[in-house]
Amino acid sequence: MAKIPENTDELADLILDDVLHGLELDPVDSERLLSYIRERHEHLFGPHSTYFVLGSYEPPFKYRLEEALDVLNHRHDAYAYLLATQPDLHVSDDVPGLKVKFFLHALYADVIPLVLEHDTGGAVAEFGRVERPILLDRTYLFPRALEEHYDDESLLTTQEAVLARAIELAYHADDLDERLATLAERARDRGIDISTRDLGSYVDAELDGRTPSYSGVITDSLVHLESLDRCFSWTTTAELDEQLSHVP
């Protein structure tokens, strides 16, 4: 992908030459594709700022996507959207309609915020796709707990801070159960009434019972965006809201 298409004809050529490289569409699929591109152009192209929000659609992770949508849509003349809420492209089974849909909406977006909480599922595939230069220039990444902000015990003065530290431990600790027990003990020493079971239940609810991590491949790509000042770690939803202020 060399440059952003300036009109529907250029966009159609890009989709056919790059996204569908090697495929030849029959006349019916070609017409459906062109009609879809024209309809999407009318809907997405305009004076407003568009934000194509990416991330996991599984609960509870989708709740954070919805939070990001709410924050961005409160901006003046903003339209933040998820891929799932946009109309589908109906083409033959041998044409990757979802792939075309993704790139079409990504190309029309002014900014592409990606909320990352684990390295499995569709969010990781999306991360791979936005690494293309034409999309990377507009991508802002928000990985959860990539950095530890609550590892200083002097910060653990509220239940909210203790819960945030529990999330960070889920990402970084090898001996999670033991570390949560120690965290609960430290919290009670400070007058915060919370048990190891409370912390474990909170972590399970926030992360759907997963053991979250980022693979070496993912962290290597994160380094690239960090170097471009477009990678912002967060732990709590309030911190995600704050970090989204980096999105232009």
Side-chain angles (χ1 to χ4, degrees):
M1 292 182 175
K3 66 184 184 71
I4 299 173
E6 297 180 357
N7 54 56
T8 56
D9 290 335
E10 287 188 5
L11 182 56
D13 289 341
L14 186 148
I15 295 293
L16 291 169
D17 294 341
D18 191 322
V19 177
L20 297 178
H21 179 73
L23 292 181
E24 292 187 9
L25 301 188
D26 63 33
V28 174
D29 282 335
S30 294
E31 181 56 36
R32 288 174 177 172
L33 175 60
L34 289 172
S35 297
Y36 185 77
I37 289 173
R38 294 187 190 109
E39 188 276 328
R40 293 286 79 205
H41 178 84
E42 292 178 4
H43 182 73
L44 296 171
F45 185 76
H48 48 275
S49 298
T50 51
Y51 303 94
F52 183 29
V53 181
L54 305 179
S56 176
Y57 285 0
E58 302 173 50
F61 310 107
K62 189 178 180 181
Y63 304 151
R64 267 75 82 178
L65 293 191
E66 292 169 346
E67 178 70 18
L69 285 178
D70 185 62
V71 170
L72 295 171
N73 275 322
H74 271 84
R75 294 183 175 186
H76 179 67
D77 283 340
Y79 175 47
Y81 56 90
L82 301 177
L83 187 66
T85 60
Q86 306 305 308
D88 290 332
L89 168 62
H90 298 289
V91 288
S92 303
D93 290 342
D94 56 349
V95 178
L98 183 59
K99 181 180 181 182
V100 173
K101 178 182 176 181
F102 175 90
F103 278 105
L104 179 63
H105 288 85
L107 287 164
Y108 270 115
D110 293 309
V111 184
I112 305 171
L114 195 164
V115 180
L116 194 64
E117 297 193 54
H118 52 79
D119 62 0
T120 59
V124 177
E126 292 174 340
F127 186 24
R129 287 175 173 175
V130 297
E131 286 197 287
R132 297 189 183 207
I134 195 172
L135 301 182
L136 188 66
D137 288 342
R138 288 172 283 148
T139 297
Y140 286 73
L141 190 62
F142 300 90
R144 191 172 197 180
L146 180 65
E147 300 171 357
E148 296 182 80
H149 299 149
Y150 295 88
D151 51 342
D152 183 347
E153 288 194 6
S154 67
L155 299 176
L156 304 179
T157 57
T158 66
Q159 179 170 299
E160 290 74 16
V162 172
L163 293 174
R165 180 55 181 160
I167 294 295
E168 291 182 345
L169 291 173
Y171 280 85
H172 295 278
D174 293 327
D175 50 348
L176 179 59
D177 291 342
E178 182 178 334
R179 296 293 297 276
L180 290 181
T182 301
L183 177 61
E185 182 179 350
R186 296 282 191 277
R188 290 193 295 272
D189 289 343
R190 292 174 176 267
I192 301 170
D193 185 17
I194 199 165
S195 67
T196 305
R197 176 176 291 183
D198 293 334
L199 294 178
S201 296
Y202 177 75
V203 168
D204 285 344
E206 281 286 292
L207 303 176
D208 194 34
R210 300 189 187 205
T211 302
S213 64
Y214 301 119
S215 68
V217 173
I218 294 295
T219 54
D220 189 61
S221 294
L222 295 180
V223 169
H224 188 180
L225 280 164
E226 284 182 308
S227 299
L228 297 173
D229 294 324
R230 282 190 270 114
C231 181
F232 304 97
S233 179
W234 60 280
T235 301
T236 68
T237 303
E239 288 172 358
L240 175 60
D241 292 354
E242 181 179 344
Q243 295 288 45
L244 285 167
S245 66
H246 292 285
V247 173

